[in-house]
């Protein structure tokens, strides 16, 4: 397997920027690693806040522990705009990092 395919697969399957590290392009890897990590932290914080709120409602007896009731409450609250932006950043970084790693590997 050539370096371009290996770098693209590493970026696609491991983490955005990992293929760039494989190609020894550390500064370029940071362009994908850091925004993806920041977006993941934002997404996880938002998810944990929603989970804590629902857990508190279950403990207070406001909603039952029924998965359908929990899903209905989540749908009623709607998604967080910040979480949606974070997921978008992660997906874009993942796709662009994979393509860029492949192109860098081919250029070498």
């Amino acid at each position: 397997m050539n370096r371009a395919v290996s770098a693209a697969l590493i970026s696609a399957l491991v983490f955005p920027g990992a293929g760039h590290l494989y190609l020894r392009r550390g500064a370029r890897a940071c362009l994908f690693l850091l925004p993806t990590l920041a977006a993941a932290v934002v997404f996880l914080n938002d998810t944990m806040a929603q989970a804590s709120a629902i857990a508190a409602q279950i403990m207070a007896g406001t909603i039952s522990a029924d998965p359908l009731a929990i899903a209905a409450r989540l749908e009623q609250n709607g998604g967080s705009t910040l979480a949606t932006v974070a997921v978008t950043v992660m997906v874009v970084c993942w796709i662009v990092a994979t393509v860029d790693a492949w192109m860098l590997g081919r250029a070498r």
Side-chain angles (χ1 to χ4, degrees):
M1 187 175 333
N2 64 20
R3 290 181 62 82
V5 173
S6 295
L9 284 175
I10 290 169
S11 271
L13 300 175
V14 177
F15 202 79
H20 294 81
L21 292 175
Y22 170 75
L23 294 172
R24 302 194 191 285
R25 302 291 299 261
R28 199 140 179 187
C30 287
L31 291 174
F32 299 107
L33 284 167
L34 297 178
T36 305
L37 283 173
V41 167
V42 167
F43 177 75
L44 289 174
N45 273 344
D46 189 65
T47 303
M48 290 303 294
Q50 280 189 346
S52 293
I54 288 184
Q57 290 174 354
I58 291 171
M59 296 300 282
T62 309
I63 61 172
S64 67
D66 178 37
L68 293 177
I70 295 169
R73 182 60 59 107
L74 282 172
E75 194 170 316
Q76 182 182 33
N77 290 345
S80 167
T81 305
L82 191 58
T84 304
V85 170
V87 169
T88 303
V89 167
M90 286 191 288
V91 169
V92 167
C93 282
W94 224 296
I95 292 169
V96 173
T98 301
V99 171
D100 189 54
W102 180 72
M103 288 176 22
L104 275 176
R106 282 191 60 195
R108 288 186 148 198

